[in-house]
Amino acid sequence: MTNTLPQPLTLLDLQGVKNKICMGKSFIYNSIESGSFPRPILLSKRAARWLEHEVDAWIIKHLPNQQNQPMPASSHDAVQDT
């Protein structure tokens, strides 16, 4: 079986994900719960990391179109949690 993951793999912590997508913790975890955001890799009970290429793919999928349309709103993102 051939490994098709991009090399090198980069892991992001929660702060890195928040900075990359410009959204807060509540949005991220609510989106994971709804199945619309990549699940983290659990390194331990208190350490979660995301694969950067999965977060990048999510960003590309959710980019506004060329007519300046906003990103689709989640029912949980009315207030950004920092």
Side-chain angles (χ1 to χ4, degrees), residues 9 15 17 47 50 56 60 70 75-76 79:
L9 291 177
Q15 189 62 47
V17 174
W50 284 260
D56 290 342
I60 291 166
S75 61
H76 302 288
V79 177

Side-chain angles (χ1 to χ4, degrees), residues 56-66 68-72:
D56 290 342
W58 181 89
I59 292 169
I60 291 166
K61 180 180 176 185
H62 291 87
L63 283 174
N65 65 28
Q66 296 299 329
N68 294 322
Q69 296 296 316
M71 287 177 56

